[in-house]
Amino acid sequence: MNGKKICVIGLGYIGLPTSAMFATHGCKVHGVDVNKQVVDALNQGKIVIEEPYLDIMVQAAVRSGHLKADTKPQEADAFIIAVPTPKNEDNTADMSCVVSSAEMIVPYLRKGNLVILESTSPAGTVENLLVPILEKSGLKIGEELFVGHSPERVLPGRILWELVNNNRIIGGINRESAEKIRDLYKIFVNGEIYLTTATTAEMCKLMENTYRDVNIALANELAKICEKVGINAWEVIELANKHPRVNLHQPGPGVGGHCLAIDPWFIIEKNPDLARIIKMSRDTNESMPQHVLGRIDAILKNIKGSRKVTILGIAYKPNIDDTRESPILKLIDLLDKKGNYKISVYDPHVKSYKYQARNLIEAAEDSDLIVLAVNHDEFKYLPLDDMGNVMRNKILFDTRNFFNRYDVENKGFRYELLGEGETNGAKLDGFIV
Ligand code: SAJ
């Protein structure tokens, strides 16, 4: 057991699993959160977010006395800042939580300590924002206080496995800082750890998510084009990806989550004239809820007066309870604004939300259209017979290519697919075996 004392600021999606991981590897972890409810729950071994196995791990860490939570920091060997960096209305980074966390730890800093920023931040944050605050401790930065950026790369739903096994990039403000931070993370990381400068690590993190956002935008653009041309984008993608150097991503109703929908903006903010593809990709992905609304309008164009739409799934991606930046929330807002839509929503993962139905059948009652918005596992085998019995019109609009068209049509439903347009020419379905 290594006995290191670690103070983690921010007990959310990243700070909490990281705390639990250090605590179950023999460290004494003092978790800090401004939200007293989170602190109280944690001290009872409970968690307020959904992530496989995290509850068991947190419970073990708290029971063993290795993990405690508080609203104030304590002296420690290392301080990890894992607070949100949301974007403002004008798409600039809101760094207020990073600033207040850094200010909060200054009185507790001692010679030899490490300060690590985990929060995703615009390139240059450690050097230009964090270091000037930490200098108030009177310690010589890089000699007496070691500072750097260690971005997480974990995927919600697989956080615990990925925390341990993913490669990690650690950027220091000098080599000694990077090496000391690496030694700390080696306590639980099995993946390779690569060292670089703090600003390179920050840009690297932003580009990883931007790469994905840009590629999804390309797929979404293709989906719109295929709808117009009268072919199926999913077939194009499947066939194009048989090329050994092509990996087209999947279209969908938009890009959500606290990473892909936000991080590219941190690059655009600092480089507005240069980040042109990045900006266009953001615009394309943000246009998808509006595009889905257009498809819904077109599918239901023959219904005069009020129509009812049933939305399945509200989380930003499958099998999680996280609705941050969910494009489905935007779609619901757009439907609301049209005024002629009744809406019902069902998501087995999310606890409470607008237009919430208790189950699939209640959600389908008097509905004209089911929109499969999130491909949760629970939706794979929908009780279409029972749902169809209570619907006014039996139509299903699949925004994720989740269902088999023929299974849906066999249940007497009309099947509509995002990324597929009506064709007057050859019908290509079924050619791919
Ligand atoms: N999506 C598509 N088409 C696709 C893939 C995803 O429309 O082909 C949509 C999803 O529906 C979702 C959004 O993109 O709305 C984001 O989902 P995601 O699974 O791509 O990513 P996140 O935001 O859950 O996690 C990402 C990961 N980054 C990369 O894969 C490069 C994760 O490794 C990072 O740790 C995380 O961001 C983060 O914290 O930055």
Side-chain angles (χ1 to χ4, degrees):
M1 290 288 149
N2 63 72
K4 281 238 179 297
K5 198 161 173 209
I6 303 177
C7 182
V8 178
I9 318 292
L11 296 172
Y13 282 91
I14 299 304
L16 183 56
T18 306
S19 300
M21 202 54 92
F22 276 117
T24 49
H25 283 74
C27 300
K28 285 272 181 197
V29 180
H30 181 81
V32 178
D33 204 289
V34 288
N35 185 338
K36 188 140 188 341
Q37 272 175 330
V38 171
V39 169
D40 290 344
L42 189 67
N43 284 329
Q44 292 166 25
K46 293 188 198 136
I47 61 170
V48 293
I49 53 177
E50 186 184 304
E51 176 65 31
Y53 311 113
L54 183 59
D55 49 348
I56 303 169
M57 197 175 202
V58 165
Q59 223 172 56
V62 171
R63 279 207 189 132
S64 70
H66 281 80
L67 175 59
K68 287 204 174 73
D70 197 355
T71 50
K72 298 230 153 34
Q74 263 183 12
E75 283 184 24
D77 299 306
F79 293 82
I80 297 177
I81 300 175
V83 293
T85 45
K87 67 176 173 66
N88 296 310
E89 282 285 304
D90 65 354
N91 294 322
T92 56
D94 174 355
M95 300 306 289
S96 56
C97 294
V98 171
V99 169
S100 60
S101 305
E103 281 169 348
M104 182 159 76
I105 61 172
V106 167
Y108 301 90
L109 296 175
R110 302 290 174 259
K111 205 171 162 179
N113 280 175
L114 271 56
V115 178
I116 303 143
L117 179 68
E118 278 235 15
S119 314
T120 307
S121 305
T125 297
V126 167
E127 289 196 14
N128 305 324
L129 186 74
L130 188 59
V131 164
I133 299 173
L134 300 179
E135 276 169 342
K136 293 183 197 162
S137 67
L139 297 166
K140 280 204 192 108
I141 309 294
E143 287 174 40
E144 297 175 327
L145 187 68
F146 303 97
V147 186
H149 182 53
S150 172
E152 48 72 25
R153 287 171 151 176
V154 293
L155 203 65
R158 288 166 52 87
I159 290 182
L160 297 183
W161 192 89
E162 292 209 357
L163 262 183
V164 172
N165 294 297
N166 282 0
N167 297 339
R168 213 174 171 108
I169 290 171
I170 288 177
I173 49 136
N174 59 357
R175 178 176 281 275
E176 222 180 326
S177 294
E179 286 174 352
K180 282 183 186 292
I181 296 171
R182 174 194 57 201
D183 293 345
L184 182 77
Y185 280 90
K186 270 196 163 171
I187 290 175
F188 69 78
V189 172
N190 283 342
E192 288 292 328
I193 299 182
Y194 302 97
L195 303 189
T196 183
T197 66
T199 305
T200 304
E202 287 161 343
M203 184 61 93
C204 196
K205 166 73 192 185
L206 297 179
M207 272 319 276
E208 290 164 12
N209 285 334
T210 300
Y211 165 87
R212 214 161 149 76
D213 196 48
V214 168
N215 276 285
I216 297 167
L218 194 60
N220 282 332
E221 192 164 293
L222 173 71
K224 290 178 181 176
I225 291 168
C226 288
E227 286 179 3
K228 184 155 170 259
V229 173
I231 55 175
N232 180 325
W234 306 88
E235 287 182 0
V236 173
I237 291 168
E238 190 178 339
L239 291 170
N241 284 351
K242 302 218 181 278
H243 184 293
R245 285 173 297 281
V246 174
N247 177 23
L248 287 170
H249 284 40
Q250 311 285 295
V255 169
H258 194 257
C259 307
L260 273 62
I262 309 262
D263 296 359
W265 287 115
F266 294 179
I267 303 181
I268 299 165
E269 172 187 348
K270 303 284 180 196
N271 311 277
D273 299 333
L274 298 172
R276 292 168 56 191
I277 293 175
I278 300 174
K279 170 71 167 60
M280 267 198 283
S281 301
R282 273 286 74 231
D283 292 343
T284 300
N285 288 337
E286 286 190 352
S287 76
M288 291 314 289
Q290 182 68 49
H291 180 76
V292 171
L293 174 69
R295 286 288 309 262
I296 294 173
D297 276 341
I299 292 167
L300 298 180
K301 65 177 186 295
N302 291 332
I303 300 178
K304 304 282 167 249
S306 177
R307 311 103 175 252
K308 182 170 169 186
V309 174
T310 301
I311 311 272
L312 298 188
I314 198 170
Y316 85 83
K317 68 176 193 177
N319 307 322
I320 59 168
D321 68 341
D322 193 342
T323 57
R324 288 179 297 175
E325 304 292 322
S326 169
I328 316 309
L329 294 175
K330 289 175 198 148
L331 172 65
I332 291 168
D333 268 357
L334 290 171
L335 282 163
D336 253 341
K337 281 196 191 112
K338 293 272 302 192
N340 56 341
Y341 282 99
K342 280 193 194 143
I343 306 163
S344 66
V345 185
Y346 180 65
D347 191 312
H349 289 267
V350 184
K351 284 196 187 72
S352 85
Y353 43 86
K354 208 172 168 189
Y355 304 126
Q356 180 172 22
R358 277 171 300 184
N359 53 48
L360 285 165
I361 308 299
E362 188 182 279
E365 231 162 44
D366 299 325
S367 181
D368 296 296
L369 175 69
I370 296 171
V371 179
L372 186 277
V374 184
N375 39 340
H376 288 313
D377 287 350
E378 288 87 342
F379 296 151
K380 191 68 200 177
Y381 302 102
L382 286 178
L384 283 181
D385 284 330
D386 296 338
M387 291 171 83
N389 280 342
V390 296
M391 290 177 73
R392 192 165 74 150
N393 281 293
K394 290 173 33 169
I395 313 172
L396 191 151
F397 178 27
D398 185 352
T399 68
R400 305 275 184 175
N401 196 28
F402 193 48
F403 298 112
N404 179 310
R405 162 191 306 277
Y406 304 103
D407 289 348
V408 174
E409 286 177 349
N410 276 341
K411 299 284 180 191
F413 275 74
R414 179 174 138 206
Y415 180 77
E416 293 277 344
L417 178 62
L418 183 86
E420 182 185 53
E422 265 181 54
T423 176
N424 295 322
K427 194 86 184 123
L428 296 182
D429 293 341
F431 268 59
I432 301 175
V433 194

